[in-house]
Amino acid sequence: MHKKNIQSAGKSLKDADKALIMVHGRGADARDILGLASHFNVDKYALLAPEATNNTWYPYSFMANPEQNEPWLSSALNLLKDMVDDITAQGITAENIYFLGFSQGACLTLEFVTRHAQKFGGVAAFTGGLIGDKINLENYSGDFNDTPVFIGTGNPDPHVPLSRVHESVHILEEMNAKVFLQVHDGRPHTISPDEVEEANRVIFS
């Protein structure tokens, strides 16, 4: 399963008031996602990026039956939970823990925070949605208490249907997240400058 292979940058957890967990996409690695940090207003954050075994968090599409993606999916979610526990043990509260993910990493990030909804610092999900062939509401609990969540996506996107993005937004809003959605028609599977600007405005301001 996934090992606790965490790459870090920015301030140390002991010296930082805020922490950002950055989750890479399929085929990428921790250094790839950490390399995006220079585009965001996070110079005073502790930056932590877990690395997936074989560079993928789960083997099949996020829209597959979840059982097909086990035990890797549960292992990945447990790894994020361990990271949050480690950060809070260093004295950084959940309100000062932030998340950023791209593609498969965005899906994993949204799935994790919605299963553990509370007042986080903020969530930036670049092309992602909640995981499963259908959404299982029994997996989700808690109250985001106005946590800002930015979701950016292309339309159409080859991996993430817009319908699933809208479904995810609805659930997050029902759980009291403050969701900011950007949909870019014809945009390839990437992160656009507009999305970076909006994430900085609403999450990393």
Side-chain angles (χ1 to χ4, degrees):
M1 297 302 97
H2 297 295
K3 297 175 182 175
K4 207 170 184 180
N5 180 8
I6 314 296
Q7 304 292 321
S8 61
K11 288 186 171 289
S12 71
L13 281 175
K14 291 180 181 177
D15 296 330
D17 295 321
K18 297 178 179 181
L20 172 61
I21 296 173
M22 306 181 74
V23 189
H24 68 76
R26 188 189 298 270
D29 60 26
R31 285 291 160 197
D32 287 333
I33 196 80
L34 283 173
L36 293 175
S38 61
H39 298 283
F40 299 98
N41 301 327
V42 294
D43 53 324
K44 294 182 180 179
Y45 292 55
L47 308 176
L48 302 164
E51 188 162 287
T53 299
N54 300 322
N55 307 103
T56 187
W57 293 111
Y58 41 86
Y60 298 104
S61 164
F62 87 111
M63 297 284 289
N65 184 315
E67 291 179 2
Q68 290 181 269
N69 279 318
E70 294 295 358
W72 294 99
L73 175 57
S74 290
S75 177
L77 291 167
N78 288 337
L79 175 58
L80 292 184
K81 179 67 166 62
D82 286 347
M83 290 181 69
V84 169
D85 290 345
D86 290 345
I87 292 167
T88 55
Q90 292 286 333
I92 297 177
T93 62
E95 289 184 21
N96 289 307
I97 298 176
Y98 295 73
F99 298 84
L100 182 153
F102 171 64
S103 191
Q104 191 186 52
C107 296
L108 183 64
T109 294
L110 288 172
E111 185 70 17
F112 173 79
V113 298
T114 311
R115 289 185 182 215
H116 301 275
Q118 56 190 297
K119 177 67 171 176
F120 290 116
V123 181
F126 298 99
T127 314
L130 294 173
I131 293 174
D133 54 334
K134 56 183 181 295
I135 289 179
N136 183 0
L137 293 175
E138 293 180 0
N139 288 335
Y140 308 124
S141 62
D143 188 325
F144 280 111
N145 195 17
D146 287 334
T147 297
V149 178
F150 171 77
I151 301 176
T153 195
N155 179 38
D157 183 86
H159 305 290
V160 180
L162 186 58
S163 58
R164 175 53 58 90
V165 174
H166 284 305
E167 278 184 281
S168 304
V169 167
H170 176 71
I171 290 165
L172 288 159
E173 288 179 337
E174 287 283 300
M175 297 172 69
N176 295 319
K178 192 173 183 181
V179 182
F180 302 85
L181 173 65
Q182 269 192 8
V183 180
H184 297 267
D185 289 336
R187 192 211 66 190
H189 191 73
T190 187
I191 299 174
S192 71
D194 285 351
E195 290 173 312
V196 171
E197 184 180 342
E198 181 72 350
N200 275 327
R201 186 182 74 82
V202 301
I203 307 297
F204 306 115
S205 57

